[in-house]
Amino acid sequence: MPFRTRYTGLVNKYHDRLPLADDVRVVSLGEGATPLIRLNNIPRTLGSNVDLYVKYEGLNPTGSFKDRGMTVAVTHAVSEGSEALICASTGNTSASAAAYAARAGIKAFVLIPDGKIALGKLAQAIMHGATVLQIRGNFDDGMRIVKELAEQAPVSIVNSVNPYRLQGQKTAAFEIVEELERVPDYHCLPVGNAGNITAHWMGYSELALGPHDPPTAAYLPCGHRPFHSGVVRERPRMVGYQASGSAPFLRGGAVSEPETVATAIRIGNPQSWDYAWAASSESGGWFDELTDEEILATQRMLADHEGIFCEPASAASVAGTLRDVRSGRIEAGSTVVCTLTGHGLKDPDVAKQHADGAVSTVDATTGAVKDAILGRLS
Ligand code: F0G
């Protein structure tokens, strides 16, 4: 019987396309290789024959896409002798940093906005043994502090201003092209700090540009030539969706008091601002915004109609895509990939808001249960 080689994470799979020494000690939890799921039920309601896929990044080891960047950033940091990581976070980066620090046997310090991160993410940071500092401020305040502090203390910053993070995250684009055996026409994703849209564009560009082509303006340098292979001709249009209350790309500048139920993307001053604009304009894409209601309705729809539970921020990508398909901005016949950035279990409080009518208490008798079931079958 032929055996397949055991999957051991994206660094081992894509090592030749990552700026890490051949003999580096890889810090991995088996991240990457997430499913690309074709939506069946939702597209039927659209009246347009788009081929719609979701890349379910919530199935990474800590439940979000951050693990892709973290394996590379932590592998690099440890190889340089780092003994502590630091990040500001709306929750997922802190969960991932805490887990990979634990795996590497080093310390993690995470700054989170006081009271504004989803419960599951806080639980992860605590369980993985990070030092959790809740700041009386938002993510943007935390980001400013972390950048200043990393210059003054022996700690490695693992936010996406660290180029190794984006190097890891670009691998999602590689996987999508391998799985689809083509480049999608559109790639749609939620935008907060704007690292992920940048990383995906870097990944697609590495596949499409030849060894002698200049890199995209969305390339965050990391002391290595970009790994251009020129194995495909096309690149997708990159479409970024933001929550209306936290939509600096729609307002044309930083938003000082960002608000949204999608706490993961409650960010007013994105660090990868220029890179994300470059990705958007080079690709012929756009940014758009969604209300909290649209985001939550789509989160529910994915869970209810497709069996896919993502966190609110992730649903922004699908919410925006459905609107743009309906309006024809995304043309019929297109192949579209939406990134579902994080798992729905991260944010149980949001799910609880839908509990009305879903949970009823009945007597512990067969008759009572039967009545409750028959009432719903008719
Ligand atoms: N979706 C989720 C679930 C996220 O956690 C984030 C970012 C994004 C989307 C946006 O990605 O920042 O690359 O544009 N979360 C960061 C964090 C900021 O701290 O966990 P981005």
Side-chain angles (χ1 to χ4, degrees):
M1 183 163 86
F3 288 97
R4 293 177 66 190
T5 316
R6 188 169 74 93
Y7 181 79
T8 54
L10 61 85
V11 172
N12 286 337
K13 177 160 182 202
Y14 295 112
H15 206 142
D16 59 341
R17 296 190 235 174
L18 294 168
L20 296 169
D22 288 347
D23 59 353
V24 77
R25 183 190 139 216
V26 180
V27 182
S28 170
L29 290 164
E31 56 296 304
T34 54
L36 184 68
I37 305 169
R38 188 161 186 264
L39 297 188
N40 290 331
N41 301 322
I42 294 174
R44 266 192 231 124
T45 66
L46 282 175
S48 172
N49 63 332
V50 286
D51 223 2
L52 188 51
Y53 294 84
V54 293
K55 181 75 167 156
Y56 195 12
E57 291 287 274
L59 290 194
N60 275 297
T62 77
S64 85
F65 72 95
K66 305 290 179 177
D67 297 341
R68 288 185 186 275
M70 211 54 76
T71 182
V72 178
V74 177
T75 294
H76 174 72
V78 169
S79 76
E80 301 258 285
S82 178
E83 290 176 4
L85 312 177
I86 190 165
C87 65
S89 181
T90 56
N92 280 324
T93 301
S94 59
S96 186
Y100 283 79
R103 183 78 168 160
I106 62 176
K107 289 189 165 39
F109 299 95
V110 305
L111 273 65
I112 55 171
D114 191 4
K116 289 287 187 178
I117 82 164
L119 187 60
K121 303 174 188 180
L122 182 60
Q124 289 177 289
I126 292 169
M127 288 304 287
H128 292 306
T131 301
V132 181
L133 302 167
Q134 293 205 64
I135 56 165
R136 293 185 196 94
N138 60 27
F139 171 84
D140 303 303
D141 297 315
M143 201 60 240
R144 173 178 45 79
I145 296 166
V146 160
K147 285 204 297 192
E148 283 168 16
L149 214 106
E151 314 233 308
Q152 299 167 23
V155 287
S156 302
I157 183 165
V158 290
N159 282 105
S160 55
V161 293
N162 176 334
Y164 291 88
R165 275 277 310 277
L166 300 194
Q167 288 289 325
Q169 286 170 215
K170 76 183 180 186
T171 61
F174 300 164
E175 288 178 15
I176 289 163
V177 174
E178 283 166 29
E179 285 173 82
L180 285 179
E181 297 184 339
R182 57 159 290 177
V183 176
D185 300 308
Y186 292 88
H187 189 125
C188 305
L189 64 185
V191 172
N193 213 20
N196 212 24
I197 192 169
T198 304
H200 278 77
W201 184 241
M202 276 170 47
Y204 287 120
S205 296
E206 288 192 5
L207 296 178
L209 298 175
H212 305 295
D213 287 327
T216 153
Y219 190 82
L220 185 55
C222 67
H224 196 290
R225 287 180 48 224
F227 298 82
H228 290 173
S229 60
V231 292
V232 298
R233 297 171 72 92
E234 300 82 18
R235 289 182 284 180
R237 289 175 193 257
M238 303 299 296
V239 184
Y241 295 110
Q242 301 214 277
S244 290
S246 308
F249 285 99
L250 280 300
R251 309 287 168 262
V255 171
S256 57
E257 301 283 339
E259 263 321 328
T260 168
V261 67
T263 51
I265 50 173
R266 187 173 165 269
I267 294 173
N269 188 16
Q271 296 298 306
S272 293
W273 177 260
D274 291 338
Y275 295 124
W277 275 118
S280 180
S281 59
E282 285 177 14
S283 75
W286 59 87
F287 293 104
D288 209 343
E289 62 186 290
L290 285 305
T291 64
D292 281 0
E293 291 70 31
E294 288 173 299
I295 290 172
L296 291 177
T298 307
Q299 181 199 22
R300 184 68 203 263
M301 194 200 307
L302 279 163
D304 202 14
H305 295 311
E306 299 282 2
I308 300 168
F309 191 19
C310 66
E311 64 174 289
S314 311
S317 62
V318 176
T321 300
L322 297 180
R323 193 166 68 195
D324 286 338
V325 168
R326 282 198 191 93
S327 74
R329 194 172 193 187
I330 294 178
E331 314 86 358
S334 299
T335 297
V336 185
V337 173
C338 294
T339 302
L340 294 184
T341 44
H343 202 290
L345 288 172
K346 294 265 190 180
D347 201 341
D349 293 321
V350 162
K352 268 199 328 216
Q353 293 168 16
H354 294 288
D356 279 358
V359 182
S360 44
T361 306
V362 298
D363 289 338
T365 64
T366 308
V369 173
K370 185 173 151 199
D371 287 347
I373 291 173
L374 292 181
R376 281 172 176 74
L377 285 176
S378 55

